[in-house]
Amino acid sequence: IDVADAFNIDLKAFDESFYQKYTGGHLEPVLHSLRMIYRSGRHLEITFLAIPTLNDSIDLFNEMTHWIANELGPEIPLHISRYFPAWKSEIPATSSQAIIELADLASKILRYVYIGNMNPTFIHPPIAQTVVTFLSNGPVTTHRFAELPRIRIV
């Protein structure tokens, strides 16, 4: 932890059986690492790749966002990424609507929720070349890629 100023950790699911089956690992060490990074005072962001039928349960996602808010704080940014199938995968891509619904749900609990791997033209009304941020205290806001502020770690 001492050699890095910022971390973006993939939280692949909020389900022990998913971790065992698809990663060969366990959920608790990931949660423990997230707690350690948070307690160190380093900048922390979490990324969640929503994969249809594997880790996109609304109940588990809701449990995950509550865990993040309660254990790490509602200020921790959460990136929700859209899954696209790789070679030989028969799982369809995550729908844009599912990503928006997850982001909307998360924004009721977490302050900074971002969506990724999604063409902005799928968002209605279309917003060209933008990152969409769901804020808990207001409407969706947008930022042009070129105007995104740099993260400054002090």
Side-chain angles (χ1 to χ4, degrees), residues 14-45:
F14 207 69
D15 178 24
E16 176 63 23
S17 63
F18 178 95
Y19 267 89
Q20 288 179 5
K21 182 174 182 177
Y22 295 102
T23 72
H26 298 279
L27 174 60
E28 186 50 43
V30 178
L31 301 180
H32 177 74
S33 296
L34 289 167
R35 285 187 206 101
M36 284 180 48
I37 295 165
Y38 173 72
R39 290 178 187 146
S40 77
R42 299 294 198 245
H43 181 80
L44 172 62
E45 299 193 12

mmCIF file of all heavy atoms in Angstrom, residues 14-45:
data_model
loop_
_atom_site.group_PDB
_atom_site.id
_atom_site.type_symbol
_atom_site.label_atom_id
_atom_site.label_comp_id
_atom_site.label_asym_id
_atom_site.label_seq_id
_atom_site.Cartn_x
_atom_site.Cartn_y
_atom_site.Cartn_z
ATOM 1 N N PHE A 14 -20.376 -10.043 -5.498
ATOM 2 C CA PHE A 14 -20.541 -10.015 -4.044
ATOM 3 C C PHE A 14 -21.111 -11.361 -3.623
ATOM 4 O O PHE A 14 -22.128 -11.458 -2.961
ATOM 5 C CB PHE A 14 -21.440 -8.849 -3.626
ATOM 6 C CG PHE A 14 -21.147 -8.367 -2.244
ATOM 7 C CD1 PHE A 14 -19.963 -7.712 -1.966
ATOM 8 C CD2 PHE A 14 -22.047 -8.562 -1.208
ATOM 9 C CE1 PHE A 14 -19.674 -7.259 -0.689
ATOM 10 C CE2 PHE A 14 -21.773 -8.126 0.075
ATOM 11 C CZ PHE A 14 -20.578 -7.471 0.328
ATOM 12 N N ASP A 15 -20.409 -12.407 -4.071
ATOM 13 C CA ASP A 15 -20.887 -13.774 -3.924
ATOM 14 C C ASP A 15 -19.684 -14.720 -3.853
ATOM 15 O O ASP A 15 -18.905 -14.808 -4.807
ATOM 16 C CB ASP A 15 -21.773 -14.092 -5.130
ATOM 17 C CG ASP A 15 -22.307 -15.502 -5.147
ATOM 18 O OD1 ASP A 15 -22.407 -16.124 -4.082
ATOM 19 O OD2 ASP A 15 -22.632 -15.978 -6.253
ATOM 20 N N GLU A 16 -19.551 -15.415 -2.737
ATOM 21 C CA GLU A 16 -18.429 -16.335 -2.536
ATOM 22 C C GLU A 16 -18.395 -17.423 -3.607
ATOM 23 O O GLU A 16 -17.315 -17.772 -4.104
ATOM 24 C CB GLU A 16 -18.506 -16.967 -1.140
ATOM 25 C CG GLU A 16 -17.452 -18.017 -0.855
ATOM 26 C CD GLU A 16 -16.018 -17.504 -0.881
ATOM 27 O OE1 GLU A 16 -15.797 -16.291 -0.695
ATOM 28 O OE2 GLU A 16 -15.107 -18.327 -1.074
ATOM 29 N N SER A 17 -19.550 -17.963 -3.973
ATOM 30 C CA SER A 17 -19.561 -19.054 -4.956
ATOM 31 C C SER A 17 -19.052 -18.577 -6.322
ATOM 32 O O SER A 17 -18.395 -19.330 -7.045
ATOM 33 C CB SER A 17 -20.947 -19.681 -5.071
ATOM 34 O OG SER A 17 -21.878 -18.742 -5.542
ATOM 35 N N PHE A 18 -19.342 -17.326 -6.689
ATOM 36 C CA PHE A 18 -18.818 -16.773 -7.948
ATOM 37 C C PHE A 18 -17.294 -16.755 -7.902
ATOM 38 O O PHE A 18 -16.633 -17.177 -8.848
ATOM 39 C CB PHE A 18 -19.353 -15.360 -8.185
ATOM 40 C CG PHE A 18 -18.804 -14.714 -9.439
ATOM 41 C CD1 PHE A 18 -19.511 -14.778 -10.621
ATOM 42 C CD2 PHE A 18 -17.581 -14.052 -9.432
ATOM 43 C CE1 PHE A 18 -19.016 -14.194 -11.782
ATOM 44 C CE2 PHE A 18 -17.080 -13.464 -10.572
ATOM 45 C CZ PHE A 18 -17.799 -13.544 -11.764
ATOM 46 N N TYR A 19 -16.736 -16.237 -6.810
ATOM 47 C CA TYR A 19 -15.274 -16.165 -6.698
ATOM 48 C C TYR A 19 -14.650 -17.541 -6.780
ATOM 49 O O TYR A 19 -13.655 -17.743 -7.476
ATOM 50 C CB TYR A 19 -14.860 -15.444 -5.405
ATOM 51 C CG TYR A 19 -14.652 -13.968 -5.634
ATOM 52 C CD1 TYR A 19 -15.705 -13.072 -5.515
ATOM 53 C CD2 TYR A 19 -13.411 -13.467 -6.007
ATOM 54 C CE1 TYR A 19 -15.531 -11.724 -5.751
ATOM 55 C CE2 TYR A 19 -13.222 -12.118 -6.243
ATOM 56 C CZ TYR A 19 -14.283 -11.252 -6.119
ATOM 57 O OH TYR A 19 -14.099 -9.914 -6.368
ATOM 58 N N GLN A 20 -15.223 -18.512 -6.097
ATOM 59 C CA GLN A 20 -14.657 -19.862 -6.132
ATOM 60 C C GLN A 20 -14.744 -20.471 -7.526
ATOM 61 O O GLN A 20 -13.769 -21.032 -8.026
ATOM 62 C CB GLN A 20 -15.373 -20.758 -5.123
ATOM 63 C CG GLN A 20 -15.028 -20.435 -3.694
ATOM 64 C CD GLN A 20 -15.758 -21.316 -2.692
ATOM 65 O OE1 GLN A 20 -16.462 -22.250 -3.058
ATOM 66 N NE2 GLN A 20 -15.604 -21.000 -1.423
ATOM 67 N N LYS A 21 -15.892 -20.345 -8.181
ATOM 68 C CA LYS A 21 -16.105 -20.983 -9.479
ATOM 69 C C LYS A 21 -15.330 -20.314 -10.609
ATOM 70 O O LYS A 21 -14.736 -20.986 -11.449
ATOM 71 C CB LYS A 21 -17.596 -20.994 -9.818
ATOM 72 C CG LYS A 21 -17.914 -21.690 -11.129
ATOM 73 C CD LYS A 21 -19.406 -21.801 -11.343
ATOM 74 C CE LYS A 21 -19.694 -22.546 -12.644
ATOM 75 N NZ LYS A 21 -21.126 -22.733 -12.857
ATOM 76 N N TYR A 22 -15.323 -18.983 -10.646
ATOM 77 C CA TYR A 22 -14.769 -18.282 -11.803
ATOM 78 C C TYR A 22 -13.364 -17.725 -11.604
ATOM 79 O O TYR A 22 -12.697 -17.402 -12.584
ATOM 80 C CB TYR A 22 -15.721 -17.169 -12.253
ATOM 81 C CG TYR A 22 -17.024 -17.730 -12.748
ATOM 82 C CD1 TYR A 22 -18.162 -17.702 -11.949
ATOM 83 C CD2 TYR A 22 -17.104 -18.342 -13.996
ATOM 84 C CE1 TYR A 22 -19.355 -18.244 -12.396
ATOM 85 C CE2 TYR A 22 -18.291 -18.891 -14.440
ATOM 86 C CZ TYR A 22 -19.415 -18.839 -13.642
ATOM 87 O OH TYR A 22 -20.595 -19.391 -14.073
ATOM 88 N N THR A 23 -12.923 -17.581 -10.365
ATOM 89 C CA THR A 23 -11.571 -17.056 -10.153
ATOM 90 C C THR A 23 -10.672 -18.031 -9.408
ATOM 91 O O THR A 23 -9.464 -17.842 -9.377
ATOM 92 C CB THR A 23 -11.600 -15.731 -9.355
ATOM 93 O OG1 THR A 23 -11.933 -16.002 -7.995
ATOM 94 C CG2 THR A 23 -12.561 -14.729 -9.960
ATOM 95 N N GLY A 24 -11.277 -19.032 -8.769
ATOM 96 C CA GLY A 24 -10.495 -19.952 -7.963
ATOM 97 C C GLY A 24 -10.089 -19.335 -6.631
ATOM 98 O O GLY A 24 -9.314 -19.913 -5.882
ATOM 99 N N GLY A 25 -10.618 -18.164 -6.348
ATOM 100 C CA GLY A 25 -10.290 -17.466 -5.109
ATOM 101 C C GLY A 25 -11.496 -17.323 -4.209
ATOM 102 O O GLY A 25 -12.477 -18.063 -4.332
ATOM 103 N N HIS A 26 -11.399 -16.355 -3.307
ATOM 104 C CA HIS A 26 -12.452 -16.124 -2.320
ATOM 105 C C HIS A 26 -12.782 -14.638 -2.251
ATOM 106 O O HIS A 26 -11.939 -13.786 -2.518
ATOM 107 C CB HIS A 26 -12.014 -16.624 -0.940
ATOM 108 C CG HIS A 26 -11.765 -18.097 -0.913
ATOM 109 N ND1 HIS A 26 -12.772 -19.017 -0.797
ATOM 110 C CD2 HIS A 26 -10.612 -18.805 -1.009
ATOM 111 C CE1 HIS A 26 -12.259 -20.231 -0.810
ATOM 112 N NE2 HIS A 26 -10.952 -20.129 -0.948
ATOM 113 N N LEU A 27 -13.993 -14.340 -1.848
ATOM 114 C CA LEU A 27 -14.457 -12.961 -1.730
ATOM 115 C C LEU A 27 -13.805 -12.238 -0.556
ATOM 116 O O LEU A 27 -13.403 -11.077 -0.683
ATOM 117 C CB LEU A 27 -15.988 -12.936 -1.585
ATOM 118 C CG LEU A 27 -16.642 -11.582 -1.302
ATOM 119 C CD1 LEU A 27 -16.361 -10.590 -2.419
ATOM 120 C CD2 LEU A 27 -18.149 -11.774 -1.103
ATOM 121 N N GLU A 28 -13.694 -12.874 0.590
ATOM 122 C CA GLU A 28 -13.232 -12.191 1.804
ATOM 123 C C GLU A 28 -11.861 -11.531 1.661
ATOM 124 O O GLU A 28 -11.680 -10.403 2.137
ATOM 125 C CB GLU A 28 -13.264 -13.118 3.009
ATOM 126 C CG GLU A 28 -12.925 -12.438 4.327
ATOM 127 C CD GLU A 28 -13.713 -11.153 4.597
ATOM 128 O OE1 GLU A 28 -14.944 -11.114 4.345
ATOM 129 O OE2 GLU A 28 -13.098 -10.157 5.044
ATOM 130 N N PRO A 29 -10.866 -12.161 1.021
ATOM 131 C CA PRO A 29 -9.584 -11.462 0.856
ATOM 132 C C PRO A 29 -9.702 -10.169 0.042
ATOM 133 O O PRO A 29 -8.976 -9.208 0.296
ATOM 134 C CB PRO A 29 -8.698 -12.482 0.133
ATOM 135 C CG PRO A 29 -9.285 -13.806 0.485
ATOM 136 C CD PRO A 29 -10.769 -13.563 0.589
ATOM 137 N N VAL A 30 -10.623 -10.132 -0.905
ATOM 138 C CA VAL A 30 -10.841 -8.914 -1.686
ATOM 139 C C VAL A 30 -11.440 -7.838 -0.781
ATOM 140 O O VAL A 30 -10.988 -6.683 -0.781
ATOM 141 C CB VAL A 30 -11.751 -9.183 -2.903
ATOM 142 C CG1 VAL A 30 -12.009 -7.895 -3.682
ATOM 143 C CG2 VAL A 30 -11.150 -10.252 -3.799
ATOM 144 N N LEU A 31 -12.443 -8.213 0.000
ATOM 145 C CA LEU A 31 -13.063 -7.253 0.930
ATOM 146 C C LEU A 31 -12.051 -6.764 1.961
ATOM 147 O O LEU A 31 -12.014 -5.579 2.291
ATOM 148 C CB LEU A 31 -14.274 -7.888 1.622
ATOM 149 C CG LEU A 31 -15.399 -8.374 0.700
ATOM 150 C CD1 LEU A 31 -16.525 -8.986 1.522
ATOM 151 C CD2 LEU A 31 -15.893 -7.277 -0.210
ATOM 152 N N HIS A 32 -11.216 -7.679 2.449
ATOM 153 C CA HIS A 32 -10.170 -7.310 3.411
ATOM 154 C C HIS A 32 -9.196 -6.302 2.787
ATOM 155 O O HIS A 32 -8.820 -5.315 3.423
ATOM 156 C CB HIS A 32 -9.431 -8.565 3.882
ATOM 157 C CG HIS A 32 -8.309 -8.279 4.818
ATOM 158 N ND1 HIS A 32 -8.508 -7.902 6.130
ATOM 159 C CD2 HIS A 32 -6.964 -8.302 4.633
ATOM 160 C CE1 HIS A 32 -7.345 -7.710 6.714
ATOM 161 N NE2 HIS A 32 -6.389 -7.937 5.823
ATOM 162 N N SER A 33 -8.815 -6.548 1.536
ATOM 163 C CA SER A 33 -7.905 -5.621 0.843
ATOM 164 C C SER A 33 -8.544 -4.244 0.671
ATOM 165 O O SER A 33 -7.881 -3.219 0.856
ATOM 166 C CB SER A 33 -7.516 -6.188 -0.523
ATOM 167 O OG SER A 33 -6.781 -7.371 -0.370
ATOM 168 N N LEU A 34 -9.818 -4.232 0.319
ATOM 169 C CA LEU A 34 -10.523 -2.956 0.178
ATOM 170 C C LEU A 34 -10.526 -2.192 1.503
ATOM 171 O O LEU A 34 -10.277 -0.981 1.533
ATOM 172 C CB LEU A 34 -11.956 -3.180 -0.311
ATOM 173 C CG LEU A 34 -12.095 -3.624 -1.768
ATOM 174 C CD1 LEU A 34 -13.510 -4.109 -2.053
ATOM 175 C CD2 LEU A 34 -11.707 -2.502 -2.714
ATOM 176 N N ARG A 35 -10.784 -2.902 2.605
ATOM 177 C CA ARG A 35 -10.764 -2.248 3.926
ATOM 178 C C ARG A 35 -9.375 -1.698 4.246
ATOM 179 O O ARG A 35 -9.239 -0.588 4.763
ATOM 180 C CB ARG A 35 -11.183 -3.238 5.018
ATOM 181 C CG ARG A 35 -12.661 -3.535 5.070
ATOM 182 C CD ARG A 35 -12.968 -4.399 6.321
ATOM 183 N NE ARG A 35 -14.147 -5.189 6.131
ATOM 184 C CZ ARG A 35 -14.176 -6.483 5.818
ATOM 185 N NH1 ARG A 35 -13.062 -7.162 5.652
ATOM 186 N NH2 ARG A 35 -15.321 -7.115 5.673
ATOM 187 N N MET A 36 -8.336 -2.485 3.951
ATOM 188 C CA MET A 36 -6.960 -2.052 4.238
ATOM 189 C C MET A 36 -6.598 -0.797 3.444
ATOM 190 O O MET A 36 -6.003 0.139 3.981
ATOM 191 C CB MET A 36 -5.967 -3.173 3.914
ATOM 192 C CG MET A 36 -5.948 -4.288 4.936
ATOM 193 S SD MET A 36 -4.766 -5.601 4.510
ATOM 194 C CE MET A 36 -3.297 -4.680 4.120
ATOM 195 N N ILE A 37 -6.938 -0.781 2.171
ATOM 196 C CA ILE A 37 -6.636 0.386 1.331
ATOM 197 C C ILE A 37 -7.393 1.602 1.846
ATOM 198 O O ILE A 37 -6.830 2.689 1.979
ATOM 199 C CB ILE A 37 -6.972 0.098 -0.146
ATOM 200 C CG1 ILE A 37 -6.050 -1.003 -0.679
ATOM 201 C CG2 ILE A 37 -6.875 1.365 -0.982
ATOM 202 C CD1 ILE A 37 -6.515 -1.610 -1.994
ATOM 203 N N TYR A 38 -8.659 1.427 2.143
ATOM 204 C CA TYR A 38 -9.472 2.530 2.661
ATOM 205 C C TYR A 38 -8.873 3.087 3.952
ATOM 206 O O TYR A 38 -8.705 4.302 4.097
ATOM 207 C CB TYR A 38 -10.909 2.058 2.890
ATOM 208 C CG TYR A 38 -11.753 3.092 3.580
ATOM 209 C CD1 TYR A 38 -12.169 4.236 2.905
ATOM 210 C CD2 TYR A 38 -12.107 2.941 4.918
ATOM 211 C CE1 TYR A 38 -12.929 5.200 3.541
ATOM 212 C CE2 TYR A 38 -12.866 3.904 5.556
ATOM 213 C CZ TYR A 38 -13.276 5.029 4.878
ATOM 214 O OH TYR A 38 -14.008 5.978 5.511
ATOM 215 N N ARG A 39 -8.514 2.204 4.871
ATOM 216 C CA ARG A 39 -7.962 2.644 6.166
ATOM 217 C C ARG A 39 -6.592 3.299 6.020
ATOM 218 O O ARG A 39 -6.182 4.074 6.886
ATOM 219 C CB ARG A 39 -7.885 1.465 7.128
ATOM 220 C CG ARG A 39 -9.263 1.007 7.571
ATOM 221 C CD ARG A 39 -9.205 -0.194 8.483
ATOM 222 N NE ARG A 39 -10.549 -0.692 8.739
ATOM 223 C CZ ARG A 39 -10.858 -1.959 8.910
ATOM 224 N NH1 ARG A 39 -9.918 -2.893 8.879
ATOM 225 N NH2 ARG A 39 -12.107 -2.320 9.117
ATOM 226 N N SER A 40 -5.882 3.001 4.918
ATOM 227 C CA SER A 40 -4.563 3.602 4.698
ATOM 228 C C SER A 40 -4.673 5.071 4.301
ATOM 229 O O SER A 40 -3.687 5.790 4.329
ATOM 230 C CB SER A 40 -3.810 2.836 3.604
ATOM 231 O OG SER A 40 -4.314 3.178 2.313
ATOM 232 N N GLY A 41 -5.863 5.484 3.892
ATOM 233 C CA GLY A 41 -6.048 6.866 3.449
ATOM 234 C C GLY A 41 -5.710 7.087 1.985
ATOM 235 O O GLY A 41 -5.796 8.214 1.494
ATOM 236 N N ARG A 42 -5.329 6.030 1.275
ATOM 237 C CA ARG A 42 -5.030 6.152 -0.151
ATOM 238 C C ARG A 42 -6.334 6.315 -0.932
ATOM 239 O O ARG A 42 -7.399 5.919 -0.489
ATOM 240 C CB ARG A 42 -4.290 4.914 -0.658
ATOM 241 C CG ARG A 42 -2.962 4.651 0.010
ATOM 242 C CD ARG A 42 -1.980 5.755 -0.321
ATOM 243 N NE ARG A 42 -0.627 5.332 -0.053
ATOM 244 C CZ ARG A 42 0.139 5.858 0.860
ATOM 245 N NH1 ARG A 42 -0.321 6.836 1.625
ATOM 246 N NH2 ARG A 42 1.365 5.445 1.031
ATOM 247 N N HIS A 43 -6.210 6.882 -2.127
ATOM 248 C CA HIS A 43 -7.374 7.038 -2.991
ATOM 249 C C HIS A 43 -7.824 5.647 -3.454
ATOM 250 O O HIS A 43 -7.020 4.847 -3.920
ATOM 251 C CB HIS A 43 -7.031 7.908 -4.198
ATOM 252 C CG HIS A 43 -8.191 8.117 -5.106
ATOM 253 N ND1 HIS A 43 -9.174 9.040 -4.836
ATOM 254 C CD2 HIS A 43 -8.547 7.501 -6.255
ATOM 255 C CE1 HIS A 43 -10.083 8.989 -5.795
ATOM 256 N NE2 HIS A 43 -9.724 8.065 -6.665
ATOM 257 N N LEU A 44 -9.119 5.367 -3.342
ATOM 258 C CA LEU A 44 -9.661 4.059 -3.686
ATOM 259 C C LEU A 44 -10.886 4.215 -4.574
ATOM 260 O O LEU A 44 -11.773 5.019 -4.276
ATOM 261 C CB LEU A 44 -10.052 3.296 -2.405
ATOM 262 C CG LEU A 44 -10.819 1.981 -2.580
ATOM 263 C CD1 LEU A 44 -9.988 0.948 -3.348
ATOM 264 C CD2 LEU A 44 -11.234 1.441 -1.219
ATOM 265 N N GLU A 45 -10.914 3.447 -5.648
ATOM 266 C CA GLU A 45 -12.091 3.332 -6.502
ATOM 267 C C GLU A 45 -12.331 1.844 -6.737
ATOM 268 O O GLU A 45 -11.400 1.041 -6.681
ATOM 269 C CB GLU A 45 -11.891 4.076 -7.827
ATOM 270 C CG GLU A 45 -11.649 5.552 -7.599
ATOM 271 C CD GLU A 45 -11.746 6.402 -8.855
ATOM 272 O OE1 GLU A 45 -12.232 5.901 -9.899
ATOM 273 O OE2 GLU A 45 -11.358 7.577 -8.768
#
